[in-house]
Amino acid sequence: MAETEAVMGSSQEWWRWPAGSWQNRAALLLAVAVCLVAPVLIGGARGQNLLIRAALLAILATSLNLAFGLGGRLSLAHAALYGAGSYAAILTTKHLVANPVVAITMAVVVGAVVAYAIGLVTMGLEGISFAIVSYAIGATLVLVASRLDITGGVTGISIEGDLGSVPVGSTTLDLSTRSAKLALVLLALVGSLWCYQRIRTSRFGLALEAQRDDPILAASLDIDVMSLRARVMAVSGALAGLAGALSAYYIRHVSAELFGAGLAIETLVIVVLGGAGYLLGPVLGAALIAVGLELAPFSPGVRRAATGIVLIVLVLFFRHGTAGFLAHQLRARTARRSTDRIVADQPGGSRP
Amino acid sequence: MVQVLLNSVATSGIYLLLALGLVLTFGLGRTANFAHGDFAVWAALIYIPLAGSGGSLAAAGAVLVACLALAATGSLLGSTLFRRLEGNLEAGLLASLGLVFVLQGAATSLWGLAPQGADPFVSGVAEVGTAIIAWQRVLAVVIAATTVLLLWLALNTTRVGTMVRAISEDAEAATALGIPTARIRVGVFGVGALLAGLAGVIYVTLFRVTPFTGEFLVLKAFLVAVLGGASSILGVVVAAFTVGVAEVFGTQYISASFRDAYGLIALVVVLIARPQGIGALQVRRV
């Protein structure tokens, strides 16, 4: 028993709790509590801004983690989806209704629809062909957005409106303060992670992983590989749209240049740095990148170059990212302990 | 009408040079090099201060230096980074994305963010009926055409060219037959980067570049490469002119706002017509 566990990896590994288990619920409750307490504990503007930026990147990276980590779809269009969410939120606020709930819902829907369309067009492509075509689509969307009137062209658009206040019972909750925004963004991050975890443990998620590892075998098991690929893009696009909408409310300005290849690559660096396919990988990656860039006194050019070097080093030496590295260490330790136990259990046996 | 076509030709030539380099390295090294556009930008940014306003001799020297520098960089990367990641397509692609950031960041630090341009090699305009075209654009087309012809001859008539084609068809069998696969791959990486450099230098004499222009250039190059297919140079030539003409005509007759979308629309149409993928980028399973 112990031997099998040592070889196969324990089923009780913390990152593989089944959906609906008490550990999962406890973790979720704890995470929500942390989100609500964090804005109180971290009072400074610098810390809060840093945390908001990191959390926004983590949501976007979680969205990419769904498509890339779980589905094996190396998408370079996610920055454009994030942009679509941003534009949707701002344009809704400006031209339809100044209601944040409507605007954010709109952004999620727009992100999902655009992503689903991309997914449908590219579902026959695999691996790097998909990456190339998704890059072409994302980059073109950004170029078009920078030339249209409705998106404000190169200058982009700004909004004066804010999240406003929401009536809760007899009091009103003011959402326009930085602390409220921080709590909201953190809650959205927890929600995204919860989505990711639910999907991974569902039939959909298992089929996705099967499709990622061997599309031909998956198809022979009656998995509809094509529609799966389009659907994972849609779900992932919804999360990217959510992140985009929240960022629009945070910086109150959108312009096309924000959503170009720079953001696409940065998101990918975060996913790979944290560990693609790990629940908390995007969070680790976003935290490391955001804190690293904040602390490093570099010029923007040097920062960009350094981020690129990080990606190259990861690809060459740490293909599974931080979470993969930690999981490996943990597994190795569990295995060693099990071996110790087996040796000790044998008559007259003790570790030499 | 003629004017519109003439305007598109020079742009198509630049796209063609870029896409050829990309197709060469993809066909041989199986590397989808996203940093290809940044190679072009680097060549342009090296060229500008060297050429200065020192006349045609300085310009010629600067072209030579820029292209050779790029060829050296390309071979170096081909023999180190991309050689290490050979066989893992996804890793190669991720590494090239890292390279994009490195090149962009370094270019920003070295040359700043301001858009820069360079004087054309030749000035004046040619008259074709009622239409006019700058001599510089004519020269761009001539350079592109000559390069394509030379490349075609090299691939189809020389011994090394045969080896290159053999490797791109079946690298394992080629190696078994004694073809120095590794060395040829490095050489082809160098040639690919050199073509990017040439395209970059021509581009900067017609348009302005910033450290981020590479993102735009690699987009065009990928569109052309994907549409054209990696199997024949002719396919790439046709695709380059299709994209160039589609952009100019779309701008003229539909809307300038969507100029960069017309190439993509062509690609999407092809994808919908052939959802199983495009020949050029379908990778054989080993």
Side-chain angles (χ1 to χ4, degrees):
Chain A
M1 183 60 198
E3 235 175 337
T4 359
E5 261 186 19
V7 177
M8 315 253 310
S10 161
S11 57
Q12 289 299 308
E13 284 163 338
W14 59 271
W15 61 92
R16 284 242 180 249
W17 290 326
S21 63
W22 70 266
Q23 292 102 323
N24 247 356
R25 278 190 208 135
L28 188 63
L29 275 179
L30 187 69
V32 170
V34 168
C35 294
L36 296 176
V37 173
V40 182
L41 287 182
I42 300 164
R46 190 179 171 195
Q48 291 199 339
N49 281 332
L50 178 64
L51 212 53
I52 291 178
R53 277 203 303 276
L56 285 171
L57 284 176
I59 301 174
L60 180 59
T62 301
S63 150
L64 183 60
N65 200 24
L66 256 177
F68 176 49
L70 210 56
R73 311 290 281 161
L74 209 174
S75 163
L76 291 167
H78 270 62
L81 296 174
Y82 179 83
S86 281
Y87 279 120
I90 283 210
L91 291 175
T92 307
T93 313
K94 242 186 149 75
H95 300 297
L96 291 174
V97 279
N99 181 337
V101 178
V102 178
I104 291 175
T105 313
M106 195 69 135
V108 170
V109 172
V110 167
V113 169
V114 174
Y116 190 59
I118 296 176
L120 282 180
V121 171
T122 57
M123 63 188 179
L125 300 172
E126 274 177 20
I128 60 169
S129 337
F130 171 75
I132 291 169
V133 174
S134 72
Y135 176 84
I137 294 175
T140 306
L141 289 178
V142 170
L143 279 174
V144 171
S146 71
R147 295 219 168 85
L148 291 180
D149 290 334
I150 189 169
T151 54
V154 185
T155 38
I157 25 178
S158 307
I159 45 166
E160 276 85 54
D162 213 314
L163 282 166
S165 41
V166 177
V168 180
S170 54
T171 60
T172 51
L173 203 59
D174 184 14
L175 289 180
S176 53
T177 64
R178 192 182 290 113
S179 298
K181 279 179 190 164
L182 174 57
L184 192 70
V185 170
L186 287 176
L187 283 173
L189 173 59
V190 171
S192 312
L193 292 172
W194 181 79
C195 275
Y196 178 87
Q197 181 72 350
R198 280 309 287 253
I199 288 173
R200 189 174 64 180
T201 46
S202 69
R203 282 183 70 87
F204 176 56
L206 293 174
L208 266 178
E209 283 182 308
Q211 169 273 141
R212 172 194 68 195
D213 295 338
D214 192 337
I216 296 173
L217 183 63
S220 75
L221 293 172
D222 205 21
I223 291 172
D224 188 351
V225 172
M226 296 282 166
S227 89
L228 209 58
R229 287 172 177 168
R231 278 186 288 152
V232 74
M233 279 302 280
V235 181
S236 166
L239 288 184
L242 172 69
L246 292 173
S247 90
Y249 273 115
Y250 171 59
I251 52 178
R252 295 204 213 157
H253 175 81
V254 285
S255 65
E257 57 168 23
L258 298 173
F259 313 122
L263 182 61
I265 299 176
E266 197 180 332
T267 315
L268 204 56
V269 173
I270 290 172
V271 172
V272 176
L273 174 62
Y278 290 91
L279 171 67
L280 295 180
V283 180
L284 279 173
L288 287 172
I289 286 283
V291 171
L293 291 184
E294 181 80 12
L295 295 182
F298 296 147
S299 70
V302 178
R303 275 185 196 184
R304 193 165 259 235
T307 314
I309 290 171
V310 166
L311 182 57
I312 293 176
V313 168
L314 283 168
V315 170
L316 284 174
F317 305 111
F318 303 97
R319 205 69 61 80
H320 301 285
T322 315
F325 179 74
L326 292 177
H328 180 78
Q329 297 295 320
L330 209 67
R331 210 175 284 152
R333 185 176 299 173
T334 320
R336 221 176 298 130
R337 216 182 296 137
S338 313
T339 322
D340 288 351
R341 210 176 326 138
I342 295 164
V343 174
D345 282 351
Q346 274 164 4
S350 68
R351 208 173 155 74
Chain B
M1 178 71 185
V2 179
Q3 183 68 57
V4 174
L5 264 178
L6 283 180
N7 282 340
S8 79
V9 171
T11 339
S12 302
I14 294 171
Y15 294 169
L16 175 60
L17 284 180
L18 276 171
L20 276 180
L22 206 58
V23 164
L24 266 185
T25 43
F26 184 80
L28 225 66
R30 286 267 169 249
T31 307
N33 184 11
F34 274 88
H36 200 72
D38 300 293
F39 284 175
V41 169
W42 266 73
L45 291 172
I46 292 173
Y47 169 80
I48 294 170
L50 284 181
S53 47
S56 53
L57 202 65
V63 173
L64 204 66
V65 171
C67 288
L68 287 181
L70 260 291
T73 314
S75 337
L76 188 70
L77 287 168
S79 60
T80 51
L81 182 64
F82 290 120
R83 183 160 159 69
R84 245 195 98 111
L85 297 171
E86 213 175 86
N88 189 337
L89 299 170
E90 215 159 70
L93 189 149
L94 287 173
S96 84
L97 289 173
L99 204 56
V100 169
F101 264 24
V102 173
L103 292 176
Q104 286 183 349
T108 309
S109 305
L110 286 173
W111 290 289
L113 287 165
Q116 301 189 55
D119 293 333
F121 306 139
V122 285
S123 53
V125 292
E127 285 178 32
V128 185
T130 55
I132 53 165
I133 180 168
W135 277 115
Q136 177 66 15
R137 286 177 182 258
V138 177
L139 186 64
V141 177
V142 171
I143 294 176
T146 317
T147 313
V148 172
L149 201 67
L150 284 178
L151 196 65
W152 187 86
L153 284 175
L155 280 176
N156 287 288
T157 58
T158 65
R159 202 174 144 76
V160 176
T162 314
M163 289 181 183
V164 169
R165 284 183 294 133
I167 297 171
S168 73
E169 216 152 275
D170 190 336
E172 225 166 284
T175 314
L177 289 172
I179 293 175
T181 314
R183 240 188 304 156
I184 288 190
R185 276 201 176 123
V186 172
V188 166
F189 257 102
V191 173
L194 187 139
L195 289 175
L198 193 57
V201 171
I202 298 175
Y203 185 84
V204 79
T205 61
L206 296 171
F207 309 97
R208 286 165 170 269
V209 296
T210 74
F212 302 104
T213 308
E215 294 171 6
F216 169 81
L217 292 177
V218 83
L219 165 70
K220 300 295 177 185
F222 268 131
L223 281 178
V224 170
V226 174
L227 278 170
S231 47
S232 72
I233 288 186
L234 187 67
V236 181
V237 174
V238 172
F241 284 92
T242 312
V243 171
V245 170
E247 280 182 6
V248 175
F249 271 83
T251 306
Q252 193 82 1
Y253 297 112
I254 307 174
S255 161
S257 305
F258 298 106
R259 191 183 83 204
D260 299 299
Y262 299 115
L264 181 80
I265 292 169
L267 176 65
V268 168
V269 169
V270 172
L271 280 177
I272 291 171
R274 282 176 56 90
Q276 66 271 40
I278 298 161
L281 294 178
Q282 235 173 12
V283 178
R284 262 164 276 150
R285 294 185 158 272
V286 184

